[in-house]
Structure formats: C-alpha cells, structure tokens
C-alpha cells in the first residue's frame, strides 16, 4: 500500500479483556515503531523493531504489553487484561534504515482504544 | 534524557503569520523535527533541522538554534486547514534506533 495502515481503527474493550492491534508498515521499511498517544498529549515511544528483532522495548508500560513482528513486516501490539489507563491512541510508524542518518518516520492513522 | 516544551494551544487569524516555539533539553542532540497532526489522523512530517538556521518550505519554515536549545515553526498565510496540533520532537540517536521523543503538541486554531 501507499502508506502505513493500522487495524482496527477503533476498539472498545471491557476491562480485563485482551486486545490485539495490527500494523502494516510501508513495504521495504526496515524499522517499525509503536507509540502511545493519550488525549491532548504527544506520542510516547513504546517499542522498536528492526526487521523481526525487537531492539528496544523500554517504553512498554507493563508486562501486559507485548509486541511482535515475526516476519519483519506486519507487527502486532497485544495488551493483556486491559485497564482503563490503557485507553489511548496507539500509533505505528515505519522508516527506512539508513545507518546513522535520521530517517523520516511515516505514521499510520492509529487505533483508538477505549477500555470501559 | 530529553525534555521538550511547547505551548499547549494558540489561536491565530486566517491569512496571518504564527510562530510556534519549542525549547528542548537533551542529553545528546540529533536534530529537531516538526510534525502536523489533524484530529484523528496520523502525524505527518513537516521539517527536520540539525544545523542552526532557518529552513523554508513553502508557507512553512522551521528555525533551530542549538546553542539556545530552541526551535520554532513559522506558518505564513494561514489557512483554515492549518488548524491542527503541531508536534515538536527529537530523535534519539543510532543507539536509540531513532525513536522519537515528542513534546505535548501545540493545538493551533485558525479563525476567520
């Protein structure tokens, strides 16, 4: 596709349910990032993949959050036993890998998660 | 660590010029970028500055002063469609995989 796509766009979960959020990056993009954006705030980094390797997961708020990218393309962010504080927009971004040069990150439209 | 500050909201008039400021404190500087985000949409890249000075791109310009830890985004000939959140932020370096640290975003409202 032409850009980063995410699904679902909206997800409502009851507290305690597990959810899975999907990201399809731009074809050929090596790097993939997940961010969490609370209402009225800037996105906050969650985790980063280079191909299938998860190189940084320092931003994941708890062990209820898990991300994978098994074949180095599509990624899934899973949240177990959702809590109300997990309500946010989850953004995925991808970029080419060009060594030490900053790479523009292309963002998807996000998944808005609401936990009741 | 990184600390990025920008005003929460601003209001400007259609056709006018607005300047959105951003100050930062980072342990290692890897440049500064600006993204635009319309409500419910993906952030879209506007500019990236790594050297001091002004870079112009059509109606949008971005300025950086590394010695002052300061940047601004200048929007000229404002249009209603410019109403959006403007995110200032900085990438962490190769060791950080270029993960981005953002400010809270400045919500710009353009009025008639």
């Amino acid at each position: 596709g032409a850009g980063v796509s995410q699904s679902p766009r909206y997800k409502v979960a009851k507290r305690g349910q597990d959810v899975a959020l999907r990201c399809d990056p731009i074809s050929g993009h090596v790097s993939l990032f997940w961010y969490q954006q609370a209402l009225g705030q800037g996105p906050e980094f969650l985790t980063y993949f280079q191909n299938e390797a998860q190189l940084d997961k320092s931003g994941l708020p708890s062990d209820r959050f898990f991300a994978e990218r098994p074949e180095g393309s599509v990624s899934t962010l899973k949240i177990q036993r959702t809590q109300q504080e997990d309500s946010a927009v989850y953004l995925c971004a991808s970029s080419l890998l060009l060594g030490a040069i900053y790479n523009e990150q292309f963002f998807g439209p996000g998944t808005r998660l609401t936990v009741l | 660590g990184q600390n990025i500050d920008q005003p929460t909201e601003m209001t400007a008039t259609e056709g006018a010029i607005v300047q959105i400021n951003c100050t930062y404190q980072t342990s290692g500087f890897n440049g500064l970028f600006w993204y635009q985000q319309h409500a419910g949409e993906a952030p879209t890249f506007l500019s990236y500055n790594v050297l001091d000075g002004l870079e112009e791109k059509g109606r949008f310009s971005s300025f950086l002063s590394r010695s002052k830890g300061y940047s601004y985004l200048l929007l000229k000939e404002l249009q209603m469609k410019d109403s959006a959140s403007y995110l200032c932020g900085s990438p962490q370096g190769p060791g950080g995989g270029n993960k981005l640290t953002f400010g809270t975003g400045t919500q710009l409202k353009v009025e008639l």
Side-chain angles (χ1 to χ4, degrees), chain A residues 53-98:
Chain A
Q54 189 176 18
L55 299 186
D56 188 342
K57 53 182 181 179
S58 61
L60 296 176
S62 77
D63 58 8
R64 296 186 295 105
F65 287 69
F66 172 76
E68 60 183 5
R69 193 186 185 197
E71 298 179 358
S73 55
V74 171
S75 178
T76 304
L77 176 67
K78 298 179 179 177
I79 309 174
Q80 297 176 324
R81 305 182 303 281
T82 52
Q83 303 294 314
Q84 286 187 326
E85 62 262 28
D86 300 335
S87 296
V89 174
Y90 290 85
L91 294 166
C92 175
S94 70
S95 70
L96 293 168
L97 183 65
L98 293 174

Side-chain angles (χ1 to χ4, degrees), chain A residues 9 31 33 35 37 40-45 48 56 58 91 99-109 112, chain B residues 8 30 33 35 37 40-45 48 85 87 91 94-105:
Chain A
R9 289 294 313 277
S31 298
F33 303 82
Y35 295 87
Q37 187 174 26
Q41 300 295 315
E44 292 193 1
F45 170 79
Y48 158 62
D56 188 342
S58 61
L91 294 166
I101 301 170
Y102 167 71
N103 306 295
E104 176 183 343
Q105 290 189 20
F106 296 83
F107 283 82
R112 181 176 295 279
Chain B
T8 305
N30 294 290
F33 60 84
Y35 275 80
Q37 186 178 28
E41 297 183 12
T44 54
F45 176 84
Y48 172 64
S85 179
L87 298 162
N98 287 337
K99 64 185 178 185
L100 305 178
T101 299
F102 290 91
T104 58

